[in-house]
Amino acid sequence: MPADLSELQNELNPEQFKAVTQINGAFLIIAGAGSGKTRVITFRIAHMLNSGVPQSAILALTFTNKAAREMEERIKELTGKKLPLLTVSTFHAFGVRILRQDISKLGYRENFSIYDETDRNALIKETGRELRYSPEAMDIYKIGILISDIKTGRKRWNSENEMYKQLYEGYQEGLKLYNAVDFDDLITLPIKLFREHPDVLQSYKNRYKYIMVDEFQDTSHQQYEFMKLLAENNVAVVGDDDQSIYSWRGADYENIINFEKDFKDVQEIRLEQNYRSTGTILAAANGVIKHNTNRKDKELWSGNGEGKPIEIYMPENEATEADFIIETIQSICVTDKRKYDDFCVLMRANTQSRAIEEAFLSQNIPYTMSGGTSFFQRKEIKDIISYLRVISNHDDDVNLLRIINTPRRGIGRATIEKLNEIAKNLGCSLWDAINALLDVGDDEADLFMEGQAGSAPSKYDDFSDESFSEGTKQSLKAFVELIEGNKSMLGGHGLAKKVRKMVEDIRYFDYLIAENPKSEKAARFKYLNIESLIGSIERWENNPESGEPTLYNYLNRITLLSRDDMDDEEDQGKVNLMTIHASKGLEFPVVFIAGTEEGLIPHGRAVDEGGEAAVEEERRLFYVAITRARDKLLISSCKNRRHMQSTVECQPSRFLDEIPPNLVEYHEREKEVDADTALAFLQQMKKKFQAPIVPGF
């Protein structure tokens, strides 16, 4: 970090300098694509610290763990300090921090669990089953969206959705019963806490005197309320209304307008100099986005030169589109000496990836596909891992609740509620509560009920025969015996074999068949995932570098395997394939936008449901796609595309006509490179991948 303002002025352009050095008051920083937004935020926080603002008084909020981590690391590099009291966090992680401290004020226990989408869907399904909803009414995906919309205030109950009100209430009761919160609760519950307990809110306001919000255009109404409750007037929000592409998950770019209304004397600073792309790419982006009406007027410009024209190719179908992409990648690799990870192929929808992936595989081109469900987040994998966690730690209430009735063993919600009450009364874990119940004989239970046993007989009220049927007790006993019977997993060898035996003992495949009555194929696919898990355990325990192959060590290892923490090195040397939504915040030297057709972008369903507002968001999405490219942009639009079992004729996207024609060159297929150039490329690739020869081996 430069020592004084004059040195800082040399590091930043005039608008960046203003955004970094003015720290008191309310600021709206409109940061266009590639305008050095992260640099401004990190320099601003470093400048605050150098100006005497205590690190504990600063709160910086963003949207992804990766962005928060990178921001924090860059601030530490700039200041040369460890900064243990600085808070750089995602909205949801900050919500977790608040709830960990004070959720008991809302009637939860402190060791609450956080349900991901898989857990949420399982609870929706369970609740619907208990309420006897018909299978036809149980569209889990749509119900999940409705629950989220109701909870966050995006929708209200009406005649169309009223039939799910009881299910919503049962779902909420289930969360409370399992001492769990879902993703939306990480924002809505802190707001509830702040409103119902002003003293808690005041303690946070007293601490955080300076607040910054990154990607402000992506904030939902709830996140805006969360921020507004915390902030006084030293608040800076950074964003770009032209990159607001998440309305489907609650983002409201009009929060920019709300901010100007709700805070006093807001100063606006516009960052329009782009450091990423060529002039041609930016002119194309500007030409497209100016067709939107609800936006802050801005014009990105670049000092990087004009660069190459944008190339548009009209392939016959998705197969020739994939061939075009591969041929172009291979040609550019040779002529421009590019690496595979310099390329990115963007799609509007995941369904477009099949033809492209098949082509990559057929030509042995390595690629990485962003998005999708992590292996360890699949429900069937989480179920088996939960069994292993309870075997290794009986007091893990979160995982015990997940498996106590999976597969079904007649332990319903009412039983769990009573066990929770016993655990609360005895001050113990659910496992201990179950064992306490099973250890109490009928005679002892009568004594407890009559107040003749122990100093606090009221603790044992729930042990009465009326509370737990003999069948329930037998089911609980069988569950305990199952967990205890697998103790041998904790030591010795053969962990994979023991896990496979346990999966067979609980008859998990029968459970999958029952859960997927319409598709035995889906059940078999899920069971194959479990086989893959067991295979990975076997490989791990047979690897001499794994250390002692105990269950504890295995669970510790997979706990650390999160996508955010994985080393990026494994994706080096691979073409990047991703949806446009997933590409937000990234940049690549060469970008392909595939499937630029009416019905794909703008997406037909979005336009049908959302009208002109949806067209404007789709245009912002196309603008984001264009501005991912640094040096070269190629766009393809198929003449025909397979849809379901038929082939349909396609029309080029309306957005292509919005790119100024002087920037565009219609593409012919790449000419074959001469033999000498091809040979040089082949030798270069051979040298790169050839393993060194070690003497003596």
Side-chain angles (χ1 to χ4, degrees), residues 7-77:
E7 288 183 34
L8 188 59
Q9 206 158 6
N10 293 331
E11 291 269 345
L12 306 166
N13 68 39
E15 290 76 20
Q16 290 176 332
F17 180 78
K18 185 178 178 183
V20 164
T21 55
Q22 297 190 23
I23 58 178
N24 291 310
F27 292 88
L28 172 59
I29 302 169
I30 302 294
S35 62
K37 170 177 65 72
T38 305
R39 182 177 175 82
V40 165
I41 294 170
T42 53
F43 267 70
R44 191 172 199 271
I45 293 173
H47 177 65
M48 284 183 192
L49 294 167
N50 287 348
S51 301
V53 175
Q55 54 180 288
S56 60
I58 299 171
L59 170 63
L61 295 170
T62 187
F63 278 82
T64 67
N65 291 320
K66 184 177 180 182
R69 196 163 56 241
E70 286 177 358
M71 200 181 295
E72 189 170 5
E73 286 169 359
R74 286 174 70 168
I75 295 164
K76 288 176 181 176
E77 285 174 16

Side-chain angles (χ1 to χ4, degrees), residues 353-566:
S353 76
R354 185 183 62 81
I356 300 170
E357 287 191 76
E358 285 178 359
F360 281 149
L361 290 168
S362 69
Q363 295 297 315
N364 293 319
I365 291 180
Y367 71 94
T368 176
M369 177 74 186
S370 298
T373 305
S374 163
F375 180 77
F376 287 100
Q377 291 303 308
R378 296 178 188 274
K379 182 186 181 300
E380 61 273 17
I381 300 302
K382 290 184 74 169
D383 285 346
I384 303 308
I385 295 294
S386 288
Y387 271 98
L388 302 185
R389 291 195 187 283
V390 173
I391 289 165
S392 68
N393 174 16
H394 296 348
D395 295 329
D396 185 337
D397 283 0
V398 172
N399 284 291
L400 186 143
L401 284 170
R402 182 181 184 91
I403 61 168
I404 194 168
N405 202 39
T406 304
R408 288 179 223 300
R409 46 177 66 91
I411 302 171
R413 213 181 255 193
T415 299
I416 293 168
E417 197 164 353
K418 290 164 189 168
L419 288 170
N420 267 326
E421 196 62 34
I422 293 171
K424 186 177 177 182
N425 286 343
L426 294 178
C428 65
S429 67
L430 285 169
W431 177 265
D432 287 341
I434 293 169
N435 280 285
L437 168 66
L438 296 176
D439 287 344
V440 173
D442 292 341
D443 294 339
E444 290 167 283
D446 291 340
L447 290 173
F448 288 141
M449 296 302 296
E450 292 166 12
Q452 298 175 31
S455 56
S458 62
K459 284 184 179 180
Y460 299 93
D461 289 349
D462 286 311
F463 288 177
S464 67
D465 286 342
E466 294 176 8
S467 294
F468 294 94
S469 69
E470 193 57 40
T472 298
K473 288 182 182 178
Q474 288 302 317
S475 295
L476 289 169
K477 184 179 179 183
F479 175 70
V480 168
E481 288 173 350
L482 171 70
I483 300 300
E484 293 284 10
N486 280 283
K487 268 186 175 179
S488 64
M489 286 188 191
L490 299 178
H493 296 281
L495 178 60
K497 289 180 181 177
K498 293 169 184 173
V499 173
R500 180 176 278 109
K501 175 76 165 55
M502 182 200 73
V503 172
E504 291 169 357
D505 287 346
I506 63 176
R507 302 181 68 179
Y508 195 83
F509 182 66
D510 292 347
Y511 167 71
L512 289 175
I513 292 288
E515 287 292 291
N516 298 274
K518 295 180 181 177
S519 176
E520 185 175 330
K521 187 177 178 181
R524 291 191 181 281
F525 177 78
K526 291 173 187 291
Y527 199 75
L528 282 174
N529 285 334
I530 295 172
E531 283 293 335
S532 294
L533 173 72
I534 294 169
S536 74
I537 295 173
E538 191 167 24
R539 287 190 295 275
W540 171 79
E541 65 180 339
N542 290 331
N543 184 346
E545 295 180 6
S546 298
E548 193 178 356
T550 66
L551 179 58
Y552 292 116
N553 287 342
Y554 177 73
L555 292 174
N556 287 339
R557 173 181 174 271
I558 63 170
T559 299
L560 298 173
L561 285 178
S562 78
R563 187 179 291 135
D564 267 351
D565 295 331
M566 288 189 52

Side-chain angles (χ1 to χ4, degrees), residues 84-342:
L85 301 179
L86 177 68
T87 306
V88 181
S89 172
T90 65
F91 272 93
H92 290 89
F94 188 62
V96 172
R97 183 183 297 200
I98 291 167
L99 295 177
R100 292 282 181 216
Q101 192 73 29
D102 290 297
I103 198 169
S104 58
K105 290 182 170 65
L106 297 175
Y108 292 78
R109 299 196 305 278
E110 288 179 5
N111 66 332
F112 65 91
S113 58
I114 301 167
Y115 274 12
D116 61 13
E117 188 174 358
T118 307
D119 298 324
R120 183 191 70 170
N121 290 347
L123 181 56
I124 291 170
K125 191 181 285 188
E126 177 195 318
T127 306
R129 188 183 289 111
E130 290 193 359
L131 293 172
R132 301 188 183 281
Y133 278 74
S134 68
E136 294 74 27
M138 288 300 291
D139 185 327
I140 304 298
Y141 176 73
K142 286 186 177 178
I143 293 170
I145 291 173
L146 175 64
I147 286 173
S148 180
D149 286 345
I150 294 290
K151 187 175 288 196
T152 56
R154 295 196 296 271
K155 280 187 181 174
R156 298 183 182 278
W157 294 113
N158 56 39
S159 56
E160 289 182 15
N161 58 36
E162 187 76 27
M163 64 179 289
Y164 293 109
K165 191 171 184 180
Q166 190 179 7
L167 192 151
Y168 173 83
E169 290 166 352
Y171 169 81
Q172 289 292 86
E173 289 168 5
L175 284 175
K176 200 77 175 281
L177 171 63
Y178 296 140
N179 197 42
V181 299
D182 63 21
F183 207 57
D184 291 318
D185 289 329
L186 300 181
I187 305 297
T188 59
L189 289 181
I191 292 173
K192 179 179 170 70
L193 181 68
F194 286 165
R195 287 179 174 155
E196 293 180 2
H197 299 273
D199 56 318
V200 175
L201 172 60
Q202 194 57 50
S203 69
Y204 284 95
K205 289 168 80 81
N206 290 343
R207 173 174 176 179
Y208 295 113
K209 297 296 187 183
Y210 292 86
I211 294 177
M212 287 196 71
V213 181
D214 185 20
E215 302 285 11
F216 187 63
Q217 78 282 345
D218 291 337
T219 52
S220 66
H221 178 70
Q222 295 283 334
Q223 287 164 331
Y224 179 73
E225 285 297 309
F226 188 21
M227 182 273 292
K228 194 172 80 167
L229 283 167
L230 284 166
E232 294 290 348
N233 205 45
N234 291 331
V235 56
V237 299
V238 186
D240 180 7
D241 52 342
D242 287 338
Q243 296 187 72
S244 179
I245 58 173
Y246 292 114
S247 67
W248 48 275
R249 70 180 190 197
D252 185 357
Y253 71 93
E254 291 192 359
N255 283 340
I256 291 175
I257 298 167
N258 296 332
F259 181 78
E260 292 176 300
K261 290 177 185 174
D262 293 336
F263 289 85
K264 295 177 184 177
D265 304 320
V266 173
Q267 297 182 59
E268 184 179 305
I269 301 170
R270 297 189 185 194
L271 308 179
E272 295 174 294
Q273 182 177 356
N274 175 287
Y275 292 90
R276 174 190 300 158
S277 306
T278 64
T280 297
I281 290 168
L282 293 183
N286 289 332
V288 169
I289 203 63
K290 73 180 183 182
H291 288 79
N292 275 4
T293 54
N294 295 315
R295 64 183 289 264
K296 293 267 186 185
D297 189 36
K298 70 185 81 66
E299 189 90 4
L300 295 182
W301 61 277
S302 171
N304 296 341
E306 289 307 302
K308 299 172 183 175
I310 291 162
E311 298 183 26
I312 296 180
Y313 181 58
M314 301 285 189
E316 191 61 36
N317 53 39
E318 63 267 34
T320 50
E321 177 181 55
D323 290 342
F324 154 69
I325 291 170
I326 282 180
E327 288 172 12
T328 307
I329 288 173
Q330 290 173 327
S331 175
I332 294 174
C333 279
V334 174
T335 57
D336 295 359
K337 294 182 170 54
R338 291 281 186 193
K339 304 191 300 291
Y340 282 137
D341 55 0
D342 286 338

